[in-house]
Amino acid sequence: MLVEQTVQQIKRMRKQNGCRGIHHSIHSPTLKLDFCKKCNAHVQTIQGNICSCCKKPLVKLLKNTWLSRVLKFGVRQHHNFLRDWNMFPMDALNVEIRSEGKKINEVFVNGHDSIKTILEIKYRETVYEIPAKYLALALEPIEEDAKLSLIKKHVKIKGFRVWIPDEEQMDVKCKRCDSFLRFGKDEKIKCPKCDV
C-alpha cells in the first residue's frame, strides 16, 4: 500500500514539472553535467543551456564568486599599497634586503634576486595569502574568467581568524550573588554583578 502511494506521488511530481527521470550521478567522469532546479538533479544540457529531462532553460551558476569577492575586498584593504606598487613594482626590481648579513624573503626569478611581496587579505573568518602582482592583476581591464583562472592558482588560505572574547562565562557561581563568574583575558576571575 505504501509503495503504491509513493509511485503515484512520483507520477504526480513528474507531471507537475515535466521531469522524465533522465538524471545522472555527479560522479560520472565522461559526462558534462549541470544542476537543474526543476528536476532537483544533475542532468545533461541540450543546445542553448536547456535541460534534457524537463526541457526547461537552466540558470547558469556563477563561477569563482568567492574569489572575486576576496579580490575586491583585498583591493579595498590594500589600495594604498597597490597604488604605490603599480608605480614601482618590487617583483620586477633587483632589490636585496639584508638583516645581520643574511638575506630575507628572497625568491630567484629569471636570474635575478628579488623580493616576492605577499599580501594578506582578511575576509570574513578566513585569512588569504596572495602575491602583490596577482592582486594588482585584479585591477586590470581584461576578461574576467581568464583573469580569475590565473589568479586562482596563487591564492592560498593562510589560516582562520579566531575570536577570543574579552570575558568567558564559567560554570562556577558567585557565593554572594549566585551569578555565574567570568574569566577575563587578564586571567582574573570576576563576578559581573559584584565586581563592577
Side-chain angles (χ1 to χ4, degrees):
M1 178 98 171
L2 183 64
V3 175
E4 291 175 13
Q5 289 176 351
T6 312
V7 170
Q8 288 175 355
Q9 191 176 18
I10 290 172
K11 286 182 181 178
R12 274 190 244 129
M13 278 181 28
R14 284 186 183 169
K15 289 179 183 175
Q16 286 175 357
N17 65 6
C19 181
R20 298 183 311 172
I22 308 172
H23 306 147
H24 301 282
S25 170
I26 187 67
H27 302 292
S28 302
T30 57
L31 300 176
K32 185 181 178 217
L33 302 173
D34 288 314
F35 186 76
C36 178
K37 288 185 178 179
K38 304 275 187 205
C39 299
N40 196 21
H42 292 279
V43 295
Q44 285 184 309
T45 56
I46 308 173
Q47 282 182 327
N49 204 26
I50 296 175
C51 175
S52 63
C53 180
C54 64
K55 306 290 187 227
K56 298 196 176 171
L58 295 178
V59 177
K60 202 66 168 166
L61 299 174
L62 297 173
K63 294 180 182 177
N64 295 325
T65 54
W66 69 271
L67 181 59
S68 61
R69 288 179 185 159
V70 167
L71 291 175
K72 287 176 185 174
F73 192 79
V75 166
R76 255 188 278 138
Q77 191 174 5
H78 298 289
H79 68 279
N80 287 336
F81 176 79
L82 288 176
R83 184 191 64 222
D84 295 341
W85 189 89
N86 279 330
M87 292 189 322
F88 304 104
M90 283 195 254
D91 290 345
L93 297 175
N94 187 7
V95 179
E96 185 176 295
I97 295 180
R98 292 194 176 264
S99 171
E100 300 174 16
K102 297 180 182 178
K103 296 179 183 177
I104 299 176
N105 292 336
E106 278 194 346
V107 176
F108 195 70
V109 180
N110 296 330
H112 298 288
D113 291 333
S114 65
I115 297 172
K116 189 171 186 177
T117 308
I118 304 287
L119 298 175
E120 291 181 357
I121 301 170
K122 295 175 181 88
Y123 181 67
R124 296 190 178 173
E125 284 82 34
T126 311
V127 179
Y128 297 93
E129 193 175 66
I130 183 171
K133 64 181 175 182
Y134 292 104
L135 189 58
L137 180 64
L139 298 171
E140 295 296 321
I142 56 176
E143 184 184 342
E144 194 73 17
D145 291 336
K147 179 170 51 174
L148 291 178
S149 65
L150 180 65
I151 294 172
K152 187 176 185 177
K153 298 173 189 173
H154 301 283
V155 175
K156 296 176 185 147
I157 295 177
K158 184 173 183 180
F160 300 99
R161 279 198 279 181
V162 178
W163 295 98
I164 300 172
D166 291 337
E167 292 181 344
E168 190 173 345
Q169 184 174 332
M170 297 175 62
D171 295 337
V172 182
K173 291 189 175 185
C174 179
K175 293 178 182 175
R176 282 186 259 160
C177 64
D178 201 38
S179 63
F180 286 103
L181 296 175
R182 296 192 164 269
F183 184 75
K185 279 186 179 178
D186 55 354
E187 298 182 4
K188 292 183 181 175
I189 298 172
K190 300 175 186 174
C191 176
K193 293 183 180 176
C194 301
D195 296 339
V196 175

